[in-house]
Amino acid sequence: MDRFDEIAAFAAVADARSFTQGARRLGVSSAQASKLVARLENRLGARLLNRTTRDVSLTDTGRAYLERARGLIEDFEALEGSVRDQDGCPRGTLKISAPVSFGASQLVPALLDFARAHPEVALEVSSTDRMVNLVEEGFDVAVRIGALSDSSLVARKLAAVRMVTCASPDYLARAGTPQTLADLSRHEAIIDTNARDPLVWRFGPHSDRKDVRVHGRLTFSGADACVAAAREGFGITRTPAFAAADDLRSGKLVPVLCAFEPETIHVHAVYPHARHLAPKVRFFVDFLAKRYAGEPEWHQGWGEKHPLPDALAHG
């Protein structure tokens, strides 16, 4: 067990690039984590980590050793988990990363229902639009929206999300309703800087995509603020449907340019590869998949009146 403690300490410190953060994950002091790693290096007769006052990084030897060590750690955790979870019930702390707007409007109610159904699971939820590193930051699962770039993660598609271009009736009465993409040049855009390319709005299916450069005096780093500004008549915004669904249903916002609407994006649950998936993760992902099955709630009550173009109807 002493040797396993050394390996676990080394892996935690290497992933966190910090003795302090690595020790925190293990529930030990920084001094204890440092002692365990030093003991491992002494026993192996090799330096595994480069240490500076600001950073900790792997040596080439350490990188190779960590790759093999991860398999041992996974096997050991799976062995313990098979005993703890032999009844198949989820338990323990589930650490979740979720995007801010979707988390607040859609995920929180689901999380509360999951917590109510599984009282032995403790939820630790971090709301951020930053792309977290699940392994290095110790997350069990993340909810992500849009294209996925990390192929090392397992991804399960949960739901589709329309990207809606919309404005208030008052604004459209003053400025006119755009009928073509070229009309956007005459309108105030409310820009979400969380988008990959905020000043370029993309329309149409990927095979016939059209990029339109927009301009406006209001920019926000988040869909909720953009929707609020559009609701108050400051211009046109483009936002995920879940952020504007209530306003679209009530008529406070009106969809425009639906004939040019971009391809739908998708909500995914992602989690690291593991030979034995912990019940708490499996139950949670299955719960979300069931929760969001069928036509998403955020498309209901307005989407029927403003259907997708045929080319995107099954996207």
Side-chain angles (χ1 to χ4, degrees):
M1 285 304 296
D2 287 345
R3 290 191 174 188
F4 182 80
D5 289 342
E6 293 168 5
I7 295 171
F10 161 66
V13 170
D15 285 340
R17 299 179 67 105
S18 163
F19 277 93
T20 300
Q21 295 299 324
R24 186 172 298 159
R25 292 182 191 178
L26 295 171
V28 301
S29 67
S30 296
Q32 179 66 9
S34 180
K35 184 184 296 183
L36 288 167
V37 173
R39 201 161 67 197
L40 175 62
E41 290 178 323
N42 289 337
R43 184 163 53 78
L44 295 174
R47 179 172 290 278
L48 304 177
L49 295 173
N50 294 314
R51 302 156 173 84
T52 69
T53 56
R54 293 186 177 183
D55 193 24
V56 174
S57 61
L58 288 162
T59 64
D60 289 341
T61 302
R63 189 171 293 106
Y65 188 82
L66 179 61
E67 186 175 340
R68 299 291 297 274
R70 288 198 197 282
L72 293 174
I73 293 170
E74 283 184 11
D75 285 345
F76 184 81
E77 291 178 344
L79 175 63
E80 286 203 326
S82 67
V83 176
R84 286 195 309 266
D85 303 323
Q86 57 186 335
D87 58 356
C89 293
R91 54 174 56 87
T93 299
L94 183 63
K95 190 173 180 183
I96 303 164
S97 174
V100 175
S101 180
F102 184 82
S105 64
Q106 303 297 328
L107 193 59
V108 167
L111 289 171
L112 296 180
D113 287 344
F114 181 81
R116 191 174 294 113
H118 301 287
E120 293 189 52
V121 177
L123 300 181
E124 185 178 322
V125 184
S126 174
S127 295
T128 177
D129 290 324
R130 178 176 62 86
M131 190 69 70
V132 302
N133 186 306
L134 268 66
V135 174
E136 290 188 2
E137 298 181 49
F139 286 99
D140 296 298
V141 62
V143 175
R144 289 182 175 167
I145 300 173
L148 300 177
S149 58
D150 191 343
S151 60
S152 68
L153 300 174
V154 180
R156 183 166 177 183
K157 189 182 292 185
L158 300 177
V161 180
R162 291 175 62 174
M163 291 295 296
V164 185
T165 308
C166 55
S168 72
D170 287 346
Y171 174 83
L172 296 175
R174 294 196 316 271
T177 299
Q179 303 297 324
T180 69
L181 298 183
D183 292 343
L184 284 175
S185 64
R186 300 192 294 272
H187 285 270
E188 278 284 321
I190 302 167
I191 296 163
D192 186 349
T193 57
N194 278 348
R196 185 167 297 178
D197 193 348
L199 296 179
V200 176
W201 289 359
R202 292 180 168 85
F203 293 88
H206 188 73
S207 58
D208 189 29
R209 195 181 76 184
K210 295 179 173 62
D211 293 351
V212 179
R213 181 162 290 276
V214 295
H215 61 86
R217 64 191 183 95
L218 297 185
T219 62
F220 299 96
S221 60
D224 292 338
C226 292
V227 168
R231 188 170 59 239
E232 294 299 319
F234 283 94
I236 296 176
T237 196
R238 217 238 318 239
T239 185
F242 59 77
D246 288 344
D247 290 316
L248 292 168
R249 278 192 285 265
S250 68
K252 293 179 181 178
L253 289 176
V254 178
V256 298
L257 299 172
C258 291
F260 306 95
E261 195 166 313
E263 290 178 323
T264 55
I265 57 177
H266 291 91
V267 182
H268 292 86
V270 299
Y271 50 91
H273 281 279
R275 270 177 252 180
H276 304 282
L277 188 62
K280 62 184 179 181
V281 177
R282 186 177 69 252
F283 271 69
F284 179 67
V285 174
D286 287 347
F287 177 88
L288 291 185
K290 184 176 180 180
R291 178 87 171 208
Y292 298 128
E295 183 67 12
E297 179 273 338
W298 48 82
H299 292 166
Q300 297 172 19
W302 66 273
E304 304 89 340
K305 304 172 188 174
H306 305 277
L308 280 166
D310 290 341
L312 302 177
H314 303 289

